[in-house]
mmCIF file with all atom_site columns, all heavy atoms in Angstrom:
data_model
loop_
_atom_site.group_PDB
_atom_site.id
_atom_site.type_symbol
_atom_site.label_atom_id
_atom_site.label_alt_id
_atom_site.label_comp_id
_atom_site.label_asym_id
_atom_site.label_entity_id
_atom_site.label_seq_id
_atom_site.pdbx_PDB_ins_code
_atom_site.Cartn_x
_atom_site.Cartn_y
_atom_site.Cartn_z
_atom_site.occupancy
_atom_site.B_iso_or_equiv
_atom_site.pdbx_formal_charge
_atom_site.auth_seq_id
_atom_site.auth_comp_id
_atom_site.auth_asym_id
_atom_site.auth_atom_id
_atom_site.pdbx_PDB_model_num
ATOM 1  N N   . PRO A 1 45 ? 23.424 -16.679 83.440 1.00 97.00 ? 49 PRO A N   1
ATOM 2  C CA  . PRO A 1 45 ? 22.974 -18.080 83.382 1.00 97.00 ? 49 PRO A CA  1
ATOM 3  C C   . PRO A 1 45 ? 21.973 -18.449 84.473 1.00 97.00 ? 49 PRO A C   1
ATOM 4  O O   . PRO A 1 45 ? 21.172 -19.375 84.291 1.00 97.00 ? 49 PRO A O   1
ATOM 5  C CB  . PRO A 1 45 ? 24.289 -18.864 83.537 1.00 97.00 ? 49 PRO A CB  1
ATOM 6  C CG  . PRO A 1 45 ? 25.333 -17.949 83.004 1.00 97.00 ? 49 PRO A CG  1
ATOM 7  C CD  . PRO A 1 45 ? 24.895 -16.585 83.453 1.00 97.00 ? 49 PRO A CD  1
ATOM 8  N N   . LYS A 1 46 ? 21.986 -17.729 85.586 1.00 96.00 ? 50 LYS A N   1
ATOM 9  C CA  . LYS A 1 46 ? 21.034 -18.002 86.657 1.00 96.00 ? 50 LYS A CA  1
ATOM 10 C C   . LYS A 1 46 ? 19.605 -17.700 86.228 1.00 96.00 ? 50 LYS A C   1
ATOM 11 O O   . LYS A 1 46 ? 18.652 -18.198 86.832 1.00 96.00 ? 50 LYS A O   1
ATOM 12 C CB  . LYS A 1 46 ? 21.373 -17.158 87.893 1.00 96.00 ? 50 LYS A CB  1
ATOM 13 C CG  . LYS A 1 46 ? 22.741 -17.435 88.504 1.00 96.00 ? 50 LYS A CG  1
ATOM 14 C CD  . LYS A 1 46 ? 22.997 -16.501 89.676 1.00 96.00 ? 50 LYS A CD  1
ATOM 15 C CE  . LYS A 1 46 ? 24.371 -16.699 90.276 1.00 96.00 ? 50 LYS A CE  1
ATOM 16 N NZ  . LYS A 1 46 ? 24.631 -15.750 91.390 1.00 96.00 ? 50 LYS A NZ  1
ATOM 17 N N   . TYR A 1 47 ? 19.459 -16.867 85.186 1.00 96.00 ? 51 TYR A N   1
ATOM 18 C CA  . TYR A 1 47 ? 18.131 -16.448 84.732 1.00 96.00 ? 51 TYR A CA  1
ATOM 19 C C   . TYR A 1 47 ? 17.744 -17.117 83.409 1.00 96.00 ? 51 TYR A C   1
ATOM 20 O O   . TYR A 1 47 ? 16.846 -16.648 82.709 1.00 96.00 ? 51 TYR A O   1
ATOM 21 C CB  . TYR A 1 47 ? 18.100 -14.925 84.593 1.00 96.00 ? 51 TYR A CB  1
ATOM 22 C CG  . TYR A 1 47 ? 18.310 -14.220 85.904 1.00 96.00 ? 51 TYR A CG  1
ATOM 23 C CD1 . TYR A 1 47 ? 19.592 -13.876 86.333 1.00 96.00 ? 51 TYR A CD1 1
ATOM 24 C CD2 . TYR A 1 47 ? 17.237 -13.914 86.735 1.00 96.00 ? 51 TYR A CD2 1
ATOM 25 C CE1 . TYR A 1 47 ? 19.795 -13.238 87.557 1.00 96.00 ? 51 TYR A CE1 1
ATOM 26 C CE2 . TYR A 1 47 ? 17.430 -13.270 87.954 1.00 96.00 ? 51 TYR A CE2 1
ATOM 27 C CZ  . TYR A 1 47 ? 18.711 -12.941 88.352 1.00 96.00 ? 51 TYR A CZ  1
ATOM 28 O OH  . TYR A 1 47 ? 18.917 -12.303 89.564 1.00 96.00 ? 51 TYR A OH  1
ATOM 29 N N   . GLY A 1 48 ? 18.429 -18.198 83.072 1.00 96.00 ? 52 GLY A N   1
ATOM 30 C CA  . GLY A 1 48 ? 18.053 -18.960 81.897 1.00 96.00 ? 52 GLY A CA  1
ATOM 31 C C   . GLY A 1 48 ? 18.653 -18.471 80.594 1.00 96.00 ? 52 GLY A C   1
ATOM 32 O O   . GLY A 1 48 ? 18.073 -18.701 79.525 1.00 96.00 ? 52 GLY A O   1
ATOM 33 N N   . TYR A 1 49 ? 19.819 -17.822 80.675 1.00 97.00 ? 53 TYR A N   1
ATOM 34 C CA  . TYR A 1 49 ? 20.465 -17.336 79.473 1.00 97.00 ? 53 TYR A CA  1
ATOM 35 C C   . TYR A 1 49 ? 21.789 -18.066 79.238 1.00 97.00 ? 53 TYR A C   1
ATOM 36 O O   . TYR A 1 49 ? 22.637 -18.140 80.132 1.00 97.00 ? 53 TYR A O   1
ATOM 37 C CB  . TYR A 1 49 ? 20.713 -15.824 79.561 1.00 97.00 ? 53 TYR A CB  1
ATOM 38 C CG  . TYR A 1 49 ? 19.438 -15.030 79.517 1.00 97.00 ? 53 TYR A CG  1
ATOM 39 C CD1 . TYR A 1 49 ? 18.871 -14.520 80.673 1.00 97.00 ? 53 TYR A CD1 1
ATOM 40 C CD2 . TYR A 1 49 ? 18.775 -14.835 78.305 1.00 97.00 ? 53 TYR A CD2 1
ATOM 41 C CE1 . TYR A 1 49 ? 17.672 -13.819 80.636 1.00 97.00 ? 53 TYR A CE1 1
ATOM 42 C CE2 . TYR A 1 49 ? 17.582 -14.125 78.259 1.00 97.00 ? 53 TYR A CE2 1
ATOM 43 C CZ  . TYR A 1 49 ? 17.039 -13.624 79.420 1.00 97.00 ? 53 TYR A CZ  1
ATOM 44 O OH  . TYR A 1 49 ? 15.852 -12.939 79.374 1.00 97.00 ? 53 TYR A OH  1
ATOM 45 N N   . ARG A 1 50 ? 21.927 -18.600 78.062 1.00 97.00 ? 54 ARG A N   1
ATOM 46 C CA  . ARG A 1 50 ? 23.206 -19.147 77.614 1.00 97.00 ? 54 ARG A CA  1
ATOM 47 C C   . ARG A 1 50 ? 24.087 -17.964 77.247 1.00 97.00 ? 54 ARG A C   1
ATOM 48 O O   . ARG A 1 50 ? 23.761 -17.202 76.323 1.00 97.00 ? 54 ARG A O   1
ATOM 49 C CB  . ARG A 1 50 ? 23.000 -20.074 76.413 1.00 97.00 ? 54 ARG A CB  1
ATOM 50 C CG  . ARG A 1 50 ? 24.283 -20.645 75.834 1.00 97.00 ? 54 ARG A CG  1
ATOM 51 C CD  . ARG A 1 50 ? 23.984 -21.456 74.589 1.00 97.00 ? 54 ARG A CD  1
ATOM 52 N NE  . ARG A 1 50 ? 25.190 -21.909 73.932 1.00 97.00 ? 54 ARG A NE  1
ATOM 53 C CZ  . ARG A 1 50 ? 25.232 -22.476 72.725 1.00 97.00 ? 54 ARG A CZ  1
ATOM 54 N NH1 . ARG A 1 50 ? 24.103 -22.659 72.046 1.00 97.00 ? 54 ARG A NH1 1
ATOM 55 N NH2 . ARG A 1 50 ? 26.387 -22.849 72.203 1.00 97.00 ? 54 ARG A NH2 1
ATOM 56 N N   . THR A 1 51 ? 25.179 -17.798 77.943 1.00 98.00 ? 55 THR A N   1
ATOM 57 C CA  . THR A 1 51 ? 25.986 -16.583 77.848 1.00 98.00 ? 55 THR A CA  1
ATOM 58 C C   . THR A 1 51 ? 27.264 -16.878 77.067 1.00 98.00 ? 55 THR A C   1
ATOM 59 O O   . THR A 1 51 ? 28.123 -17.623 77.518 1.00 98.00 ? 55 THR A O   1
ATOM 60 C CB  . THR A 1 51 ? 26.301 -16.048 79.248 1.00 98.00 ? 55 THR A CB  1
ATOM 61 O OG1 . THR A 1 51 ? 25.067 -15.913 79.982 1.00 98.00 ? 55 THR A OG1 1
ATOM 62 C CG2 . THR A 1 51 ? 26.977 -14.700 79.170 1.00 98.00 ? 55 THR A CG2 1
ATOM 63 N N   . ILE A 1 52 ? 27.381 -16.262 75.901 1.00 98.00 ? 56 ILE A N   1
ATOM 64 C CA  . ILE A 1 52 ? 28.467 -16.535 74.963 1.00 98.00 ? 56 ILE A CA  1
ATOM 65 C C   . ILE A 1 52 ? 29.284 -15.260 74.793 1.00 98.00 ? 56 ILE A C   1
ATOM 66 O O   . ILE A 1 52 ? 28.791 -14.259 74.266 1.00 98.00 ? 56 ILE A O   1
ATOM 67 C CB  . ILE A 1 52 ? 27.897 -17.005 73.613 1.00 98.00 ? 56 ILE A CB  1
ATOM 68 C CG1 . ILE A 1 52 ? 27.073 -18.280 73.806 1.00 98.00 ? 56 ILE A CG1 1
ATOM 69 C CG2 . ILE A 1 52 ? 29.013 -17.215 72.597 1.00 98.00 ? 56 ILE A CG2 1
ATOM 70 C CD1 . ILE A 1 52 ? 26.161 -18.602 72.653 1.00 98.00 ? 56 ILE A CD1 1
ATOM 71 N N   . SER A 1 53 ? 30.525 -15.300 75.254 1.00 98.00 ? 57 SER A N   1
ATOM 72 C CA  . SER A 1 53 ? 31.405 -14.134 75.185 1.00 98.00 ? 57 SER A CA  1
ATOM 73 C C   . SER A 1 53 ? 32.509 -14.401 74.169 1.00 98.00 ? 57 SER A C   1
ATOM 74 O O   . SER A 1 53 ? 33.118 -15.476 74.179 1.00 98.00 ? 57 SER A O   1
ATOM 75 C CB  . SER A 1 53 ? 32.026 -13.844 76.548 1.00 98.00 ? 57 SER A CB  1
ATOM 76 O OG  . SER A 1 53 ? 31.036 -13.797 77.565 1.00 98.00 ? 57 SER A OG  1
ATOM 77 N N   . ILE A 1 54 ? 32.772 -13.434 73.316 1.00 98.00 ? 58 ILE A N   1
ATOM 78 C CA  . ILE A 1 54 ? 33.739 -13.603 72.227 1.00 98.00 ? 58 ILE A CA  1
ATOM 79 C C   . ILE A 1 54 ? 34.939 -12.693 72.459 1.00 98.00 ? 58 ILE A C   1
ATOM 80 O O   . ILE A 1 54 ? 34.783 -11.504 72.744 1.00 98.00 ? 58 ILE A O   1
ATOM 81 C CB  . ILE A 1 54 ? 33.093 -13.264 70.875 1.00 98.00 ? 58 ILE A CB  1
ATOM 82 C CG1 . ILE A 1 54 ? 31.854 -14.146 70.627 1.00 98.00 ? 58 ILE A CG1 1
ATOM 83 C CG2 . ILE A 1 54 ? 34.097 -13.409 69.736 1.00 98.00 ? 58 ILE A CG2 1
ATOM 84 C CD1 . ILE A 1 54 ? 31.028 -13.700 69.426 1.00 98.00 ? 58 ILE A CD1 1
#
Side-chain angles (χ1 to χ4, degrees):
K50 298 177 183 178
Y51 297 90
Y53 291 101
R54 177 184 174 190
T55 307
I56 300 163
S57 310
I58 302 170

